[in-house]
């Protein structure tokens, strides 16, 4: 019986740590990014670059945006794992970046934010 209870506990812990991504919640979290970034149809560079088609893109490559040398030379290709580390503390991941943001620390919020951003292709369509 003790092994069964322990097994159920381990199973339950695994379920809560692997929560599903929710793009609608991610859209709400993205509101704090809107000051500097845009996404979707008609998105334009602001203080930060457009985030359409972020995943799979090399850092520092959006045409018309003036990136820091640190960002252009980071060698990063954006994917979920890199973004998770970056968004928690951008200056720690890319020292010298111009991005001034304290970061998103909550793993579920990061997952939801990723789901929202991943919806948008490079042209801004979903």
């Amino acid at each position: 019986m003790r092994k069964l209870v322990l097994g159920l506990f381990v199973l339950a812990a695994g379920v809560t740590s692997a929560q599903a991504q929710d793009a609608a919640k991610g859209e709400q979290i993205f509101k704090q990014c809107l000051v500097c970034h845009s996404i979707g149809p008609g998105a334009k560079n602001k203080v930060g670059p457009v985030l359409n088609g972020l995943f799979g893109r090399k850092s520092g490559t959006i045409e018309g945006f003036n990136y820091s040398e640190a960002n252009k030379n980071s060698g990063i290709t954006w994917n979920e794992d890199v973004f998770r580390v970056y968004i928690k503390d951008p200056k720690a991941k890319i020292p010298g970046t111009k991005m001034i943001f304290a970061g998103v620390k909550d793993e579920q919020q990061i997952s939801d934010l990723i789901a929202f951003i991943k919806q948008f292709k490079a042209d801004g369509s979903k």
Side-chain angles (χ1 to χ4, degrees):
M1 180 64 154
R2 185 172 182 198
K3 287 182 181 180
L4 176 62
V5 171
L6 180 59
L8 289 174
F9 177 76
V10 169
L11 179 62
V15 169
T16 57
S17 67
Q19 295 176 9
Q21 295 178 333
D22 186 328
K25 288 181 181 175
E27 184 174 10
Q28 295 305 308
I29 296 159
F30 190 79
K31 286 181 179 179
Q32 63 187 310
C33 309
L34 282 172
V35 172
C36 298
H37 296 279
S38 63
I39 196 165
K44 303 273 188 237
N45 291 328
K46 295 179 171 182
V47 174
V50 168
L51 296 181
N52 291 335
L54 177 66
F55 296 104
R57 184 171 84 206
K58 290 192 182 298
S59 181
T61 60
I62 287 291
E63 193 168 321
F65 185 77
N66 184 22
Y67 288 95
S68 65
E69 289 301 312
N71 215 304
K72 288 190 279 189
N73 298 321
S74 69
I76 288 174
T77 298
W78 294 107
N79 62 38
E80 286 190 38
D81 293 335
V82 171
F83 182 81
R84 281 182 187 284
V85 173
Y86 179 80
I87 201 63
K88 287 179 185 175
D89 187 354
K91 289 192 177 288
K93 179 66 178 166
I94 304 178
T97 184
K98 293 190 295 185
M99 184 163 166
I100 300 170
F101 180 65
V104 177
K105 309 300 187 213
D106 182 89
E107 290 293 335
Q108 185 60 53
Q109 288 183 346
I110 294 169
S111 291
D112 295 341
L113 186 57
I114 288 169
F116 175 70
I117 294 170
K118 281 179 71 174
Q119 296 178 101
F120 296 95
K121 299 175 187 172
D123 67 0
S125 66
K126 285 188 178 182

